[in-house]
Amino acid sequence: MTRYEELAEQYGTPLYVYDLDRITEARRDLRTALPDEVEVYYALKANPHPQVAGALRDDNGPECRAEISSVGELAAALTAGYRAADCLYTGPGKTDTELDEAIGKGVRTFSVESFTDLQHIGAAALRHDTVARCLLRINSATASATTSIRMTGTPSQFGIDSETLADATPDLLAVPGTRVVGMHFFPLSNARDEDSLIGEFQHTIETAARLAADHGIPLEFLDIGGGFAHPYGAPGDRPVYRQLRAALTAALDAHLPRWREGAPQIAVETGRYQVSGSGALLSRVVNTKVSRGRKFVVLDAGINTFGGMSGLGRLLPVAVEPETTGAADAVELDDVASLAGPLCTPGDLLGREIALPRLEPGDLVTVPNAGAYGVTASLLMFLGRPAPVEVVVQDGRVVSASRLEHHRSPATRA
């Protein structure tokens, strides 16, 4: 019996298994790929499990900070041991209630998506008799990479259009309760290759230096975003970026020559790169059927468990591997079927007409590279099915097993 089979017998399925040792390896690889002076922010949206997020805090070296987009993520970050004062609060829909709670708990640094967003942050800071440090998130009119998931250069709820800064900057710098300290860019996600990632970072650094010089934007802090890639829900290894350190150093030296002195402090942010490879999703085949010539393999895990964003067409298809005792040979994908979950909706598909191993009811399968965008990125409450158990292992031992619970509580008036 394999280790995964043992865990599935003990905790049932669907079941997530997170290996903290793999997170440590990913953290080490990322630090090696970056100049020593660059700060790293972990995006809790990738996986807010407190032990997963906590494993990225390095008590014996450069500290990883937390990027959050809600007070729920703030609570998760605090539970994982991050300090509120070191968190970067982002997102286009910050409400007054959320801002009051975040500032009240000690968050002081915010990414700003618009002039009105900045005004809301400033008003909340004044209510708490403090000043918020703010980064102007920039929606640059140009970009470098032509592949990957683009996050800039189009009309968007994210960021301030770069071409409006000439007129907008005086007002942005004068909002009571705020102090603009720099800029935030996030031009792409999941870069297809190292050249694309390097090219985007080079373009971002050049753009930031030019905008600061042209418009008088303070540049004490520059977040150049992410784009670090990792296979998701399919076999594959984490990329190792061998050229990035030298390329980033050269670009920063060319455009921001005092960056080594912290003028500005440079930061990157990443989620999937650090945690995707740590996780596996275990699921059992519930049924197989043929409908009008098409085969369906039905699992006990669907979009309520993994990849709730798959309805957007971004995460299809996943790959599954049979978990069998002594399986040492390569898996033969000699069947074609649609991989369905247990929900009462035709949208509960993890893959349409994909190559699969031959599976029968009761078989245990593994979805690899499932440590990011799993439970909390899924349609967890749809149909009221229980959340999967999440098991955390380290050095081959189970260190925790838990399950998110959803229940209805009395509400108080706002």
Side-chain angles (χ1 to χ4, degrees), residues 96-354:
D96 290 342
T97 300
E98 291 168 334
L99 289 169
D100 279 329
E101 182 172 345
I103 292 173
K105 289 184 176 179
V107 177
R108 290 296 180 269
T109 307
F110 295 84
S111 175
V112 174
E113 310 283 0
S114 65
F115 177 64
T116 48
D117 189 27
L118 184 61
Q119 287 180 310
H120 292 156
I121 294 168
L126 291 175
R127 288 194 293 273
H128 290 264
D129 195 26
T130 190
V131 175
R133 300 172 70 248
C134 294
L135 305 178
L136 303 181
R137 178 163 176 174
I138 305 300
N139 181 5
S140 178
T142 60
S144 171
T146 57
T147 60
S148 314
I149 301 173
R150 299 258 19 111
M151 298 286 288
T152 193
T154 60
S156 175
Q157 70 269 44
F158 299 111
I160 300 167
D161 296 342
S162 59
E163 63 272 22
T164 69
L165 287 172
D167 295 329
T169 297
D171 290 334
L172 291 167
L173 298 183
V175 174
T178 70
R179 184 169 73 89
V180 174
V181 297
M183 287 179 273
H184 176 200
F185 292 75
F186 202 97
L188 85 166
S189 178
N190 204 30
R192 297 290 175 86
D193 51 55
E194 187 171 17
D195 287 343
S196 295
L197 183 66
I198 289 173
E200 201 61 67
F201 281 150
Q202 290 171 330
H203 181 267
T204 292
I205 292 165
E206 180 181 0
T207 301
R210 176 175 50 80
L211 293 177
D214 289 350
H215 306 303
I217 299 172
L219 199 55
E220 301 171 22
F221 189 100
L222 174 60
D223 184 340
I224 62 175
F228 306 97
H230 200 294
Y232 179 73
D237 297 323
R238 181 180 63 256
V240 176
Y241 297 115
R242 304 188 188 281
Q243 311 301 320
L244 180 60
R245 185 186 183 101
L248 265 182
T249 298
L252 289 165
D253 283 343
H255 298 287
L256 299 167
R258 295 185 57 212
W259 71 277
R260 298 172 194 270
E261 306 165 29
Q265 176 64 57
I266 306 298
V268 299
E269 55 193 91
T270 176
R272 78 172 74 208
Y273 184 85
Q274 306 233 64
V275 299
S276 186
S278 73
L281 171 61
L282 311 185
S283 178
R284 288 203 184 275
V285 178
V286 176
N287 194 18
T288 63
K289 62 168 289 188
V290 175
S291 175
R292 296 195 169 100
R294 290 179 55 190
K295 185 175 181 179
F296 291 81
V297 174
V298 183
L299 304 177
D300 59 7
I303 59 175
N304 61 319
T305 303
F306 180 74
M309 294 184 290
S310 63
L312 302 177
R314 286 177 54 180
L315 305 182
L316 290 170
V318 304
V320 296
E321 302 168 340
E323 191 64 34
T324 56
T325 303
D329 298 328
V331 175
E332 293 188 11
L333 303 180
D334 54 358
D335 200 6
V336 174
S338 292
L339 199 61
L343 304 183
C344 295
T345 168
D348 190 14
L349 289 174
L350 298 180
R352 295 183 178 89
E353 295 288 295
I354 60 175

Side-chain angles (χ1 to χ4, degrees), residues 326-390:
D329 298 328
V331 175
E332 293 188 11
L333 303 180
D334 54 358
D335 200 6
V336 174
S338 292
L339 199 61
L343 304 183
C344 295
T345 168
D348 190 14
L349 289 174
L350 298 180
R352 295 183 178 89
E353 295 288 295
I354 60 175
L356 294 170
R358 294 198 176 272
L359 298 170
E360 301 294 337
D363 284 349
L364 180 68
V365 298
T366 305
V367 178
N369 288 321
Y373 302 110
V375 177
T376 55
S378 302
L379 301 181
L380 186 60
M381 294 184 67
F382 187 52
L383 293 190
R385 299 182 73 90
V389 173
E390 296 171 275

